[in-house]
Amino acid sequence: MDRLNIVADKLECTELVTRVARGIDRCDAAILEKLFHPDATDDHGIFVGTASDFIAWVIPLLQTMKRTQHVIGQVLIEVDGDQAAGESYFLAHHQFDGPEGEVFMVAAGRYLDRFEKRNGNWKISHRHAVYDWNSTTASTDNFDRDTPGTQAFGARDHSDASYTHLAGIARP
């Protein structure tokens, strides 16, 4: 396999990782379903099962939170023909109501993904979330979301500005 094809395969796998983060943060099950093979599996520790069942489980859980943001750090992809393995660092930020007010929790770890190229398309065949550390504190978010003026704030659905911004240029 030539180097250009390997680079293209690595880029496609890396883009799958970032699109999963986007689908999670926008609570968009339709995006997520397109990124996993139909027989894909997921192991998040607190959830182990099919990727489809993970999506059905995680979206309602995320919708109980005010905001999330999954930041992907360094990504290492090793390609072997139509299979690849990846390690992607993440910081997952979560803001939600706790018993004593708003809580801000960060979980840090790595996604260990298996990718397969089937019928010319790369998708995730297995994801294993490995956690390295977390931190929880009271939220200090002080944006005035009720009267934002000219500030734009993210939304956890299709009203988010990214949908309009990317429409017609990139696949969802």
Side-chain angles (χ1 to χ4, degrees), residues 142-145 147-154:
N142 62 4
F143 283 128
D144 182 357
R145 294 173 194 277
T147 54
T150 58
Q151 276 186 301
F153 294 106

Side-chain angles (χ1 to χ4, degrees), residues 60-76:
L61 175 64
L62 292 167
Q63 289 172 332
T64 69
M65 301 177 187
K66 291 186 174 192
R67 287 169 262 300
T68 63
Q69 187 175 71
H70 289 68
V71 179
I72 304 301
Q74 60 266 37
V75 177
L76 174 66

